[in-house]
Amino acid sequence: MDIAQLVQKAKRGNDEAFEQLISSVRHKLYRTAYSYVRNEQDALDIYQETIYKAYTSLKKLKKPESFQSWIIKILVFKSIDFIRKESRHFSTGDEELFVELISKESTDYIDQSMDLSEAFKFLDPKYKTIILLRYYHDLSIKEIANMMNYPEGTVKSYLSRAQKQLRPILKEGYFYE
Amino acid sequence: MNKEKFIHSIDNIDIPVEKLVARERMAMFEAKKKIRKGTKSSILIACGICLTLIGSGFVVPQMNHVLAKMPIIGELFSYFKDSVGENLAASQLVQEINQRAVSNGVGVTVNGVYYDGGRISVTFKVDHFRPKSKEFWYDVKIADGSDKWERGAQYDGRVTSEGFVGQILIDYPNKNLPQHLTLPLTFTSMNDIKGKWRFDIPIQQLDNKKVSIRQLVQSNDKAQKVNFETMTIGKGSAVIDYTAIHSLIGKSDLARIEKVTDDKGKEIDVLSSGIEFGRKKVDNWMESEERSIIAKIPDNTKFLMIFPYVREYEHDATHSLSEPAFKMHSTRNDVTLTVEQMEQSKNELTIQYTLDHVDTNLSLGEIKNFGENLNLIDSSQIGKDRPSIGHIVKGSTVKVLDKDKLQFQATFKLGGEYGIDDFSLENYSLEAPFSILLPEKTLPPIKVNLK
């Protein structure tokens, strides 16, 4: 059944329809939450809060066909809020270490095996959000701009700054944009 | 390395499916409990359990204790990261009030209000409240609960060391800003406790200065105009009122403020951009009265620069796949998409295409992104808001064939969960979102003298 019809059914209180909707985005939602907090427990908490919020506010969803981007937006905001509240996942210490890492001329300093998930951990949450929405959720720059209420220019500059931040760690041009 | 590897690294995150399903059930259970309690408690509300105490004269000793423990107003704004509120509190411009209402044993005290320029803030604290969750949330109806109030409101709730506090920030939804008003607020739940906490909050607008702007800027092609009218400069924020004027072809375009800088070139935060009061057709134009709100303008600023831009939209174009090669056009600029050849295998359709007259400011990534958003759609479903699953393939994987000639290859997966039930070139069309290739139009900045 099509997403919009499922949303209409779920809005009328059909839990099975709601479960179907969630199962269509389950993996993406969890992995996005995990990308922010890097641990299962916190990712599960964010996931649960997102589902709660989606269930209680589904009636307010005006365009049923945009269910997926609507719930991703809830999750992204919950994740950012979580990081802000906890502020333990991206402490100033991390940021300083990161600046130190990228300012080193010698790439030997950086562990050869440092993988993307490690590098990604150091990114500022706002860049993380843009990268996830753009490359993982495949949203266009325009869609991200609408979702986050940023001008497109801001999205583009965040993207390019995020890519610049990732590049020295990854040593290779990671994104081809 | 490329995007695929990035996606792969995220897709490598293990999915604890059972735990996720359990969390879903818990979330739905909690949510349902909340919704169910809502319908039952309405009888209690009708019994007149609600009690509103206005002013400290009615305050019982227990409540004095509550108020004594309340964080001071300035601290509240820092919890909510509201810089306008923090500034106003520092200048003692936040109106302190103590209105308390009790329902179902839970007390809500509205303790501070400000109305600066076009923005209203109401802060409150909740007492005798012991939720099971570590989170705090609430439902509230602002004024008559109509959409215009909802759209312009932001809600925040925090659990602090001193209790549960909340802030409602409202962008006043009408163009005319009254100097004072009484704002009805009705809270209907605190987490899963339903009730009715009703307040009529007297609000006085802080002193402000009106600056007449009267400047009209337009895009080079004269298709979009923004007529800047006035600024209302409050104590901690400022309001910019303008009318965005779009040609009819761009009746859904959005005019927004990208940034505002002071006379030293320092950016002033745009707090809300594009609060719309309604669109109307005037002759051959679509006019939209709008407002943006910016943060505090530093004292002694001589002038401001306002940088507007327009985001254009057009309907997705479609063309039947029954022809082996064809051309599609944007309706807003000269961009064309030429399909040169198509190859269909059992599970895939590959389309080779070239783009011409693409704006030179767009990056290859953005141009490629256009291809990633091409759809295959059942021709009988064109124009429908929601094409049925099994009748559309959303998006493709794009390979750059020649970046100078802007030649690409898009591959659509016909099979699988999101595939097409019964694909045929005769019955399907290519859907192209040319909006993605419309660059944002920067309008000339305007200078507003403040002295």
Side-chain angles (χ1 to χ4, degrees), chain A residues 151-173:
Chain A
E152 281 179 38
T154 306
V155 176
K156 282 182 214 166
S157 74
Y158 280 6
L159 261 182
S160 102
R161 274 182 240 163
Q163 289 162 8
K164 270 184 205 144
Q165 287 193 14
L166 285 175
R167 202 166 289 137
I169 291 181
L170 299 163
K171 286 182 251 167
E172 298 175 46

Side-chain angles (χ1 to χ4, degrees), chain B residues 4-255:
Chain B
E4 279 69 38
K5 183 149 184 188
F6 171 71
I7 291 172
H8 182 67
S9 87
I10 297 199
D11 277 341
N12 266 346
I13 297 169
D14 289 333
I15 301 284
V17 178
E18 282 176 19
K19 288 180 190 170
L20 287 171
V21 173
R23 292 299 190 111
E24 284 161 21
R25 295 213 173 114
M26 275 161 69
M28 285 171 68
F29 177 73
E30 287 290 323
K32 266 193 275 193
K33 218 165 58 178
K34 184 190 172 201
I35 293 164
R36 220 179 299 129
K37 276 197 175 171
T39 48
K40 279 183 189 163
S41 63
S42 56
I43 302 161
L44 294 176
I45 294 162
C47 295
I49 283 184
C50 305
L51 169 68
T52 307
L53 298 171
I54 301 174
S56 57
F58 288 93
V59 173
V60 289
Q62 207 175 20
M63 188 187 152
N64 271 332
H65 174 69
V66 169
L67 288 176
K69 278 181 70 183
M70 198 176 294
I72 57 164
I73 296 283
E75 277 176 27
L76 272 182
F77 294 121
S78 70
Y79 287 133
F80 301 123
K81 300 185 179 5
D82 172 16
S83 59
V84 176
E86 281 181 279
N87 277 329
L88 295 177
S91 311
Q92 298 190 316
L93 289 170
V94 176
Q95 195 183 328
E96 292 200 28
I97 51 174
N98 282 317
Q99 279 196 27
R100 184 172 187 252
V102 181
S103 181
N104 286 336
V106 173
V108 175
T109 305
V110 170
N111 58 354
V113 178
Y114 71 76
Y115 170 22
D116 184 52
R119 181 162 274 206
I120 296 169
S121 156
V122 178
T123 46
F124 63 94
K125 161 143 189 183
V126 187
D127 60 86
H128 295 87
F129 178 48
R130 287 175 197 83
K132 287 175 202 136
S133 157
K134 56 180 182 176
E135 283 276 301
F136 167 45
W137 67 87
Y138 54 90
D139 286 322
V140 62
K141 185 176 99 175
I142 304 167
D144 58 0
S146 58
D147 253 12
K148 65 176 186 182
W149 287 95
E150 279 243 325
R151 268 202 309 271
Q154 299 170 48
Y155 312 93
D156 204 345
R158 301 267 152 169
V159 185
T160 70
S161 54
E162 292 170 80
F164 301 88
V165 292
Q167 182 188 36
I168 304 163
L169 267 180
I170 306 160
D171 290 334
Y172 188 74
N174 299 328
K175 183 150 181 163
N176 288 328
L177 296 165
Q179 286 180 325
H180 37 78
L181 66 139
T182 302
L183 182 72
L185 274 188
T186 310
F187 291 90
T188 53
S189 76
M190 294 290 148
N191 284 21
D192 47 6
I193 298 176
K194 288 276 169 181
K196 193 174 180 186
W197 297 264
R198 190 179 147 69
F199 300 89
D200 281 312
I201 303 165
I203 301 177
Q204 180 77 34
Q205 190 185 33
L206 290 167
D207 288 346
N208 58 61
K209 188 174 107 177
K210 280 249 183 328
V211 175
S212 171
I213 308 179
R214 288 191 198 155
Q215 290 187 50
L216 184 129
V217 285
Q218 57 185 1
S219 54
N220 287 337
D221 60 4
K222 299 187 169 65
Q224 280 102 358
K225 301 171 191 178
V226 179
N227 188 15
F228 286 94
E229 292 149 8
T230 55
M231 271 188 82
T232 307
I233 303 174
K235 298 290 178 193
S237 62
V239 164
I240 305 167
D241 281 328
Y242 49 91
T243 302
I245 305 160
H246 307 285
S247 56
L248 287 181
I249 193 172
K251 62 182 181 191
S252 304
D253 291 352
L254 301 173

Side-chain angles (χ1 to χ4, degrees), chain B residues 295-366:
Chain B
K296 185 178 166 63
I297 300 169
D299 294 337
N300 301 319
T301 300
K302 292 186 188 70
F303 65 87
L304 293 179
M305 297 296 294
I306 302 175
F307 296 79
Y309 71 93
V310 173
R311 193 178 292 163
E312 294 182 317
Y313 281 95
E314 68 172 273
H315 275 300
D316 293 349
T318 51
H319 196 288
S320 168
L321 295 170
S322 55
E323 294 170 37
F326 55 86
K327 207 172 231 191
M328 297 169 78
H329 304 262
S330 158
T331 54
R332 299 298 295 274
N333 63 15
D334 299 332
V335 174
T336 57
L337 177 154
T338 309
V339 171
E340 284 135 6
Q341 61 181 68
M342 288 186 271
E343 250 183 70
Q344 187 188 346
S345 69
K346 194 174 165 223
N347 284 320
E348 281 182 354
L349 177 74
T350 305
I351 295 181
Q352 186 181 308
Y353 66 92
T354 300
L355 293 171
D356 288 296
H357 310 295
V358 175
D359 187 278
T360 49
N361 290 319
L362 292 173
S363 69
L364 184 62
E366 286 168 272

Side-chain angles (χ1 to χ4, degrees), chain B residues 377-393:
Chain B
I377 181 168
D378 185 333
S379 302
S380 67
Q381 304 255 337
I382 292 172
K384 282 192 182 171
D385 266 358
R386 313 163 203 142
S388 314
I389 284 185
H391 294 268
I392 186 164
V393 171

Side-chain angles (χ1 to χ4, degrees), chain A residues 68-130:
Chain A
Q68 187 163 332
S69 53
W70 174 77
I71 196 165
I72 289 167
K73 182 176 173 174
I74 296 177
L75 182 106
V76 164
F77 278 80
K78 288 271 171 205
S79 303
I80 294 172
D81 199 38
F82 184 90
I83 293 170
R84 205 191 290 144
K85 269 194 247 169
E86 303 289 311
S87 67
R88 59 178 190 223
H89 300 285
F90 192 72
S91 65
T92 322
D94 278 349
E95 204 163 359
E96 280 164 7
L97 171 67
F98 175 64
V99 171
E100 195 185 342
L101 277 174
I102 59 167
S103 61
K104 290 273 173 191
E105 286 288 317
S106 160
T107 49
D108 296 342
Y109 180 85
I110 301 162
D111 184 352
Q112 296 284 332
S113 64
M114 192 179 218
D115 66 3
L116 178 70
S117 59
E118 276 300 302
F120 194 69
K121 195 165 85 180
F122 290 115
L123 268 187
D124 183 306
K126 68 181 177 227
Y127 297 150
K128 214 177 257 189
T129 303
I130 303 285

Side-chain angles (χ1 to χ4, degrees), chain B residues 382-415:
Chain B
I382 292 172
K384 282 192 182 171
D385 266 358
R386 313 163 203 142
S388 314
I389 284 185
H391 294 268
I392 186 164
V393 171
K394 287 196 163 186
S396 71
T397 309
V398 176
K399 197 167 131 190
V400 183
L401 299 179
D402 185 327
K403 69 178 166 57
D404 298 319
K405 289 184 186 154
L406 294 183
Q407 193 178 48
F408 304 89
Q409 180 185 291
T411 306
F412 297 86
K413 271 189 191 161
L414 300 176

